[in-house]
Amino acid sequence: MNLYGPAPMRRREFLQWLGTAAGAAALAGRARAQTVSPNDKINVAHIGVGGMGSGHLGWFAAMPDVNIAAICDVDSTRLDAAVATAKTLQPNPDVRGYRDFRHVLDRDDIDVVTCATPDHWHTLITTMAFEAGKDVYSEKPLCRTVAESHAMVEARQRYGRVFQLGTQIHAEDNYHRAVELVRSGILGKIHTVRLWKTGGSPGLGFPADEAPPPELDWEMWQGPTVRRPYTPVRCHFTFRYFWDYSGGNWADFWCHIADIAFWALDLGQPKRIHARGATPTDGIADTPATIDVDYEFDGLNLHWSTDIPDVPGADDRGIGCQFEGSEGSMVVDYGSRAIFLGGERLDDVPEVPQSIPRSPGHQRNFLDCVRSRGLTESNLDYAHNMTLPMLLGCISFRLQRPLEWDAAAQRFVGDATANRMLSTPYHQPWVLPQSTIFAGRES
Amino acid sequence: MPLFLVLIGSLMAAPPEPDFELLLNGRDLEGWTAGGDETGWIVEEDGVLLTVGTVDGGWLSTDREYADFVLRLEYMLSEVGNSGVLIRGLAPGSADIEVQLLAPWTPYRDDLHCTGSLYGHVAVDPRPDETTGIWHSLEITAIGKSLSVVVDGVEICRANTDEVPTLAGSALSGHIALQSSHSGPEEWVRFRNIRIRDLDAEPGHLAYQLRSDDPAIRRHAQEFSARLGAAMVPDLLRLHAEGTPESISTAADALTYIVAGSGRDGSDATALSAALARELAGTWPTPTRAFVLEALALVGSSACVPGIAACLDEPVLAHPAASALSRIGGPTAIEALSAAVTGPDLEAALAAVSGLSTMGSGSGLHALASALGAASPVLRASAVTALGSVGTEATAPVIVAALRDGNPAVRAAAHSAVLRLATRLWESDRSTAHLLLERAVGAADSRVARVSALVAAIRLGADEASPALTLGRARDVEAVEEAERIAQTP
C-alpha cells in the first residue's frame, strides 16, 4: 500500500487543471471588474469548510449584500455538506462545489475568497487569489514561516488587494476600550506585557498509519508541505499540533491575545527571543505542550506562557494579556478587563474618552473595505507585524535556545540553523512566490 | 606484604573493565566534594580511601551527576562501622536512596536496614555476608526506575521505584555520595577501586531507554542523547526504521534535541552533519532516509551535498533532498539542483526547481531557463515561478517569452513572475522594470491579468507616460481606470 498517495493519478489531475486553467477565464466573454460596484452583491467563495470554514459560511451568508457563489474543500464529505448548508442559508441554485481551489480562482465573477484551510495552505491560496484579482479573508495564524509572511505582504502590496486576518475578537468593544485605556497613559509607561493561554498541544497518541479515506484528497490536502503517511489525527482539526502544518495551540491563540498588545502599543519587531518548554510525551504531536517565551522589544519586555501569571487580575483567566505600566496595570481577555490603579480594582476609567470608532463586526468591516478599497482592521501589514514574533518564537522553541533578531536584515544574528528555518521550500509541484526581501538574499 | 602480592591483589580485585572509569584517582579527591560533618577523608598510600567517623556523619560526593550507571567498589567496615552509598542525590550528600553498608552490630538490624538494603525502603533477600574487617565487593546498577544491588557476586536487592510507595517519583539522576562512618569516633570504613560505567554515555543504552513505555524515562534518555549528539545517529535511525508511530515519533524528538544542541554557528554541527551524511548511503528504509534529509536541511554542510544529491531521483526523497540542498546552499548545491532541473526525472526536476526558488538571487538561472523549454507544463510553470524569485535582468527575456507559452497556466505563472521581477528590478534597473511591466500589460490573457499588471505598475510608481500605462490606455482605457481605482487601496 502506498501511504503517500497515488502519485500518477494526482499528476493527471494536475495536468487536467493545467489544461483548463485560465483558459476558462479567457473564454468568459464578460470580464467582471475587480472592484464591486455599489449595487452588486459581493460574490464570495469559501475555501476550506471544516470548523472555521463552516463559521465563515454562516457569517458571510448572513450578510445581506453577499452571494455565496462557490465552496471548495479537498474532503468531498465536507464539501457536499457545506454546499447543502449554503443552499439552505441562501437558496442560490448557482452555488458550486470544487475540490481544487484553482478552479475557484479561475472564476472572474468571484470577488472575495475566504480561506480556512490548515495554515500551510494560507500563503499560496492568498497570494494566488490576489493575483487573480480577489480580496481575501483568511484565518489565523497568518502562515507558517517568515518567508511566507513576506510573500503575502508583498503580493498584496503589488496587486492592491484587501485582506483581513480572521481575528474576530479584534472587532469587539472590549478590545477597542482596552486600547483607548492603554493609549490614554493612565497606566503610565508600559514596560512589561504578559500574554498567556493555558493548555498546550495534546499528544494525540500513537495511531497507526492508514490509507486516506476515499472522500479525502490527501495529496492536495498536504499541497506545499512535506509528505507524510495519512492518519486522521494529522488531518482535520488536530493538524494544528504538528509543525508540518501549524505551530500548535500557542501559535493559534497568539493571534487573538497578542492582537491587543500589538494594537495598543504598536510594537515593532523583537530584538531577542528566548523560548523554553516541552513537547507532548504521549503522542505523535510535536508542537509545544508547554511554552514560555521572553521577548525583548525596544523599551519593553513581553512574555508568553502556558501558565497563568501571578499578577493582579489574572485570576483564573485561561487566556489573557496584562499591561504593566509605571502607574498601574490592566488585564484584558476576550470579553472583560481588570484595571489596577492606586490600589483600586476597576472595570473602566470613564474619564478616558472614547477615541476609536467601533467596528461594525470583523466580517462586515472586511466587506465594507472590499467596496470602499479601505484599510481593514486586521490588515495584512498589521497581521504580519503581529505574527512575526510568534514565528520567531517557534524557531527558538524548536532550537531550545535564545535568538537575536536583526530586523533590518530579517535574519537571526550568528545562528545558521535558525536562519535556515525562516523559510521552507515547497513540495513540488508547488513553488512559493518569494518576496523581494527573501529572494534577494544570499542563501 | 611483598610488593608483588599487593599488585596481584589489586589486579584480582579489579580486572580490566573497558567500559568503566575510575571515580577515585587513587591520589587525591579530584572530582569529589566533602561535606556535612567533615571528619576527613584520607587517600592512603595504596589508593584506598579511608574515613574515620563521628556520630553525626559526613559525606563525600561526586561533583558530576549520574542517572543510569553501574557502580562497582569494594568496601571494608570496622567492627561497628556504619556507612552507605547515596545515589541520585539532587544535592551533594543528600538522596532519597541509600544503599546501606553496615557492620552486624547490636542491636541487630533487620533486612530493611542491613548491608545491601535500600535503607528503609527495600529489604535484602538473601542476606549478604556481613563479616567486618575484610573486603567485599559491591555493585549498584541503576537503570531508569529499576535498581539492583549485588554484594560479593550475589544480587541481594532489587526494586522498581514505581512499585515502592516511599520511592515513587524519586529522582532519576543525581550525585553519588559515600557516607562517612557514623557509628562512633573510632569506627571506620575503607573503599577502593571505585569505578563506574556511565550508561548514559552509551548510545545503545539510550536507544533502549528511548523505547521505554514510561514518558519520564524517554524524556530522560532524550536529554542524555542530546548530549551525545552525533554518536547517537545510527541508534536513532535504527529506532526510526522500526517504523511504528512510537518509534518514529521518539526518534524524531530525540534528533530534534540533538540538532538543537548542535550549536549556533554551525561549528558543532560538523560532526552531526557528517554522521547523518554517512547514513544516507546506508540501506535504511526510504522514510528513514527522508528523516535523515530533514535533519540535514538544518545542520548539513556543503560536504554532504554529493550524498544528498544522489537522493534527488528517488520519488519520496526528491523533496527532502532538494529542500536540504537549498538550505545548505553554495555553488555545489546549486549545481546539484541545476542538474536535477534539466535531468530526466520530472519529480526530481520539480523538487529542484522549488529548492532553487528559495535560494539567493541568481541561483541556477541557466537550468531554470532551460526548463522553460521542457515538455511538461507543470515544470514550465514551476520554473517560471522560481525565476520570478531568483531571476535577474539577464533572465528577463526568457520570462517574458513565457508570457506567450502555449499553456494558460504557464502564462499565468509567467505573468506573476514578470511582475515580481519588475518589483525587484525597479530600483536597480528601471528600464528593464518598465519593459517587464509593459509586456505584462501587453501579453495579458484576460482583463483581470491586464488590470493586475497595471495596478502593479502604478503601485511601483509608474506614471501616466510610462510604457505600461501608455500601452494599457491604447488597449483598454477602462482597464486603466479600474487599475487606478484599485491602486488607491491602502
Side-chain angles (χ1 to χ4, degrees), chain B residues 40-277:
Chain B
W41 294 80
I42 300 156
V43 182
E44 298 177 315
E45 276 186 16
D46 53 2
V48 170
L49 180 66
L50 167 68
T51 172
V52 180
T54 63
V55 177
D56 295 333
W59 47 262
L60 183 68
S61 170
T62 59
D63 295 335
R64 255 200 64 182
E65 297 184 33
Y66 295 89
D68 289 358
F69 59 84
V70 182
L71 177 73
R72 288 181 182 162
L73 56 78
E74 286 143 61
Y75 65 91
M76 183 195 290
L77 291 162
S78 65
E79 206 168 330
V80 194
N82 178 0
S83 179
V85 180
L86 305 171
I87 61 168
R88 292 176 169 176
L90 289 177
S94 85
D96 294 336
I97 300 171
E98 178 195 358
V99 177
Q100 175 73 325
L101 299 176
L102 181 65
W105 45 286
T106 54
Y108 181 78
R109 303 305 300 270
D110 62 14
D111 291 354
L112 193 58
H113 301 88
C114 71
T115 288
S117 66
L118 305 184
Y119 188 83
H121 299 293
V122 182
V124 297
D125 177 24
R127 191 118 175 171
D129 174 12
E130 292 163 275
T131 312
T132 55
I134 62 166
W135 286 109
H136 297 276
S137 73
L138 172 71
E139 178 180 279
I140 302 171
T141 302
I143 295 178
K145 293 177 176 174
S146 113
L147 303 173
S148 149
V149 179
V150 174
V151 172
D152 296 330
V154 178
E155 188 184 54
I156 56 163
C157 186
R158 64 215 65 79
N160 179 322
T161 55
D162 271 351
E163 292 161 8
V164 180
T166 52
L167 287 179
S170 59
L172 290 171
S173 176
H175 302 274
I176 294 171
L178 307 173
Q179 278 188 336
S180 63
S181 185
H182 51 283
S183 51
E186 301 302 316
E187 300 304 321
W188 50 264
V189 58
R190 282 188 161 87
F191 296 99
R192 71 178 185 189
N193 290 322
I194 307 172
R195 65 250 192 234
I196 195 163
R197 179 173 171 184
D198 179 6
L199 295 171
D200 294 314
E202 298 178 13
H205 171 74
L206 294 176
Y208 172 79
Q209 291 295 70
L210 283 170
R211 290 173 172 85
S212 167
D213 291 337
D214 187 329
I217 300 290
R218 287 205 304 275
R219 173 85 73 197
H220 208 73
Q222 188 175 297
E223 267 174 44
F224 282 95
S225 141
R227 293 187 201 172
L228 284 196
M232 280 303 294
V233 167
D235 284 281
L236 288 184
L237 298 193
R238 260 190 291 282
L239 182 62
H240 189 278
E242 284 173 15
T244 66
E246 288 90 341
S247 74
I248 290 171
S249 166
T250 305
D253 281 353
L255 193 58
T256 298
Y257 274 83
I258 291 173
V259 166
S262 69
R264 300 171 60 84
D265 56 3
S267 58
D268 300 339
T270 311
L272 179 57
S273 166
L276 288 163

Side-chain angles (χ1 to χ4, degrees), chain A residues 298-313:
Chain A
D298 198 12
L300 181 144
N301 290 317
L302 184 148
H303 309 283
W304 173 276
S305 184
T306 34
D307 292 325
I308 300 175
D310 183 17
V311 295

Side-chain angles (χ1 to χ4, degrees), chain A residues 33-231:
Chain A
Q34 293 175 60
T35 51
V36 184
S37 59
N39 298 324
D40 279 346
K41 281 201 169 192
I42 298 173
N43 284 332
V44 174
H46 295 295
I47 300 176
V49 282
M52 277 317 295
S54 303
H56 286 183
L57 179 57
W59 288 334
F60 282 88
M63 300 291 173
D65 58 344
V66 159
N67 172 49
I68 309 296
I71 289 174
C72 178
D73 203 291
V74 295
D75 181 329
S76 56
T77 304
R78 288 181 161 199
L79 175 61
D80 295 346
V83 169
T85 304
K87 285 181 175 167
T88 63
L89 292 174
Q90 51 154 54
N92 180 347
D94 286 341
V95 60
R96 281 194 57 191
Y98 299 85
R99 279 172 61 113
D100 187 327
F101 73 97
R102 290 168 296 189
H103 290 303
V104 176
L105 300 186
D106 285 343
R107 275 179 59 175
D108 277 356
D109 63 322
I110 304 284
D111 304 301
V112 158
V113 162
T114 81
C115 177
T117 63
D119 310 6
H120 65 274
W121 262 117
H122 289 178
T123 301
L124 265 184
I125 289 173
T126 298
T127 54
M128 288 172 77
F130 290 159
E131 288 173 4
K134 322 230 177 279
D135 296 325
V136 178
Y137 181 104
S138 187
E139 265 311 311
K140 48 88 194 167
L142 184 61
C143 56
R144 286 190 311 148
T145 68
V146 176
E148 285 184 333
S149 193
H150 280 292
M152 293 168 95
V153 165
E154 194 176 291
R156 195 210 67 84
Q157 167 61 26
R158 176 176 305 115
Y159 294 104
R161 303 316 309 181
V162 171
F163 177 91
Q164 179 92 294
L165 184 70
T167 49
Q168 64 278 3
I169 320 290
H170 192 99
E172 303 292 321
D173 178 74
N174 184 47
Y175 271 26
H176 284 74
R177 186 60 184 155
V179 171
E180 285 163 353
L181 291 164
V182 172
R183 288 184 180 169
S184 75
I186 54 161
L187 303 177
K189 180 179 160 27
I190 306 295
H191 52 77
T192 306
V193 172
R194 293 181 183 85
L195 305 171
W196 68 93
K197 168 74 179 79
T198 56
S201 300
L204 303 174
F206 296 97
D209 302 334
E210 298 175 19
E215 68 271 17
L216 176 72
D217 185 345
W218 178 235
E219 174 73 11
M220 189 68 166
W221 188 95
Q222 295 179 97
T225 194
V226 62
R227 294 298 176 269
R228 305 285 184 208
Y230 174 79
T231 173

